[in-house]
Amino acid sequence: MQKSSVIREIFFPIITFYRKIVLSRIILKYLSSIEQTDEIKDVMNFLRKEPPRLYPYFFTKEYKYKRINIEYSKEKSGYYFLLDNKKLFLKKSFNKIQCQKYIVGLLLDLDKRSPHSYFADDNYIPQKGEIIADVGAAEGIWALCNVDKCDKIYLFECDSEWIESLRATFEDYADKVEIVQSEISKFNSDDGLHITIDKFFAEIKKIDCIKADIEGAEIDMLCGGEKTFTQKVSKVLICAYHNYDDEKNIKNYLAKYGFTDISTTKGYMLHGISRTSIKSGKAREPYISRGLVLGRK
């Protein structure tokens, strides 16, 4: 037996026990110390029966990666998932199982029961003829769901592998989809790798909706986008879970920029529970957060 297999057989039961028993108790103790709303009680009910996970809800058990049908394109040398008869390409470095697991995460985010769903509130679903921007597009599933009805879509992504996938996914929509390989930031760099929202949209009159998921740089985006968010944007969906205070800080910026209808998606995401952090001994104290901050004018 290979050494890696032996290690896995020894440590996997230990990690499973830690997650299911020890970590669940730690999180339940934490949750019992905060206001007992119906939403908190739902999370606690889940944790009494299931191991902790990012989305602590029973509906997640409906999604199994082995059931995901992934196809391989010889022409593009990569795997894709068929979404409403449109091919969503994934990174070429992903093997089939990685693709299946990744798609499960995307489908969870499409589910209206998810705290991370961009489609949970009908008021924030892009409408026919709108101009939208996907900041931190990754594979581009949100844009692909809206591409047929929107007039223009800007996709911002700095990962070169995802750029290649996005070009394959949207090659039939080149007339309306613009892919921008830059990192949205609070400053502009001479090499163009960092750019502010204000600089990019300086000559564009309006943006109907901006969706942003940029791994904790959401506040930097808002800092560098005062004119755009104040004068041009009417709807936003911004991830609020990468940093502990993101929800509060994002809401403050949106209020400052004139958004009057500010809310969050329902439910909670659970943090400080990753297997990687547990194995490394660097697990964070558990905490919950909302998935998205929503804003309208």
Side-chain angles (χ1 to χ4, degrees), residues 199-216:
K199 181 176 180 179
F200 185 86
F201 289 116
E203 304 302 321
I204 297 168
K205 292 183 178 180
K206 74 159 187 170
I207 301 293
D208 294 289
C209 182
I210 288 181
K211 164 259 179 188
D213 182 355
I214 42 179
E215 305 301 322

Side-chain angles (χ1 to χ4, degrees), residues 62-228:
E62 299 170 15
Y63 294 88
K64 308 292 184 182
Y65 80 89
K66 292 181 179 180
R67 299 176 186 171
I68 302 298
N69 185 32
I70 298 292
E71 301 292 338
Y72 187 81
S73 170
K74 291 183 179 179
E75 179 187 0
K76 303 297 183 184
S77 301
Y79 287 100
Y80 67 87
F81 176 70
L82 205 59
L83 179 71
D84 296 331
N85 294 317
K86 294 190 280 288
K87 293 179 181 179
L88 180 74
F89 283 89
L90 301 172
K91 286 186 176 183
K92 288 184 178 180
S93 61
F94 284 4
N95 61 37
K96 186 174 183 179
I97 292 177
Q98 286 175 313
C99 288
Q100 288 174 307
K101 290 182 177 181
Y102 189 89
I103 292 297
V104 164
L106 296 182
L107 295 179
L108 284 170
D109 290 347
L110 293 180
D111 194 309
K112 289 192 172 186
R113 295 170 291 180
S114 168
H116 193 272
S117 177
Y118 297 106
F119 299 92
D121 189 328
D122 291 343
N123 293 314
Y124 292 87
I125 297 176
Q127 302 300 306
K128 185 176 180 179
E130 289 192 342
I131 299 171
I132 67 175
D134 190 344
V135 183
E139 78 298 317
I141 192 169
W142 181 75
L144 191 63
C145 288
N146 296 301
V147 70
D148 289 326
K149 56 188 174 182
C150 290
D151 278 359
K152 180 74 176 181
I153 301 179
Y154 298 94
L155 301 179
F156 296 89
E157 179 56 50
C158 55
D159 186 319
S160 58
E161 269 200 281
W162 280 132
I163 291 291
E164 188 176 14
S165 302
L166 289 171
R167 286 172 179 158
T169 296
F170 293 99
E171 67 177 355
D172 293 335
Y173 298 95
D175 59 326
K176 65 163 65 178
V177 175
E178 182 175 340
I179 300 172
V180 184
Q181 190 173 5
S182 293
E183 183 175 328
I184 293 298
S185 181
K186 61 182 177 181
F187 67 93
N188 298 296
S189 62
D190 294 336
D191 57 12
L193 296 179
H194 295 83
I195 190 170
T196 64
I197 284 285
D198 277 350
K199 181 176 180 179
F200 185 86
F201 289 116
E203 304 302 321
I204 297 168
K205 292 183 178 180
K206 74 159 187 170
I207 301 293
D208 294 289
C209 182
I210 288 181
K211 164 259 179 188
D213 182 355
I214 42 179
E215 305 301 322
E218 289 80 8
I219 299 301
D220 285 352
M221 174 194 71
L222 290 165
C223 286
E226 181 173 1
K227 290 182 180 179
T228 303

Side-chain angles (χ1 to χ4, degrees), residues 8-104:
R8 192 179 302 113
E9 284 192 12
I10 293 173
F11 286 101
F12 184 75
I14 297 173
I15 294 170
T16 301
F17 173 80
Y18 181 86
R19 285 173 59 81
K20 191 169 184 178
I21 307 298
V22 180
L23 189 55
S24 289
R25 288 179 179 175
I26 293 171
I27 297 169
L28 284 167
K29 183 178 180 180
Y30 155 67
L31 292 174
S32 66
S33 69
I34 62 181
E35 184 182 356
Q36 296 298 290
T37 65
D38 288 341
E39 287 183 304
I40 295 298
K41 291 176 182 177
D42 285 342
V43 174
M44 294 179 72
N45 184 44
F46 175 87
L47 292 171
R48 291 187 181 104
K49 300 176 182 178
E50 298 289 336
R53 59 180 65 184
L54 184 62
Y55 303 153
Y57 297 99
F58 291 106
F59 80 86
T60 59
K61 296 172 68 65
E62 299 170 15
Y63 294 88
K64 308 292 184 182
Y65 80 89
K66 292 181 179 180
R67 299 176 186 171
I68 302 298
N69 185 32
I70 298 292
E71 301 292 338
Y72 187 81
S73 170
K74 291 183 179 179
E75 179 187 0
K76 303 297 183 184
S77 301
Y79 287 100
Y80 67 87
F81 176 70
L82 205 59
L83 179 71
D84 296 331
N85 294 317
K86 294 190 280 288
K87 293 179 181 179
L88 180 74
F89 283 89
L90 301 172
K91 286 186 176 183
K92 288 184 178 180
S93 61
F94 284 4
N95 61 37
K96 186 174 183 179
I97 292 177
Q98 286 175 313
C99 288
Q100 288 174 307
K101 290 182 177 181
Y102 189 89
I103 292 297
V104 164

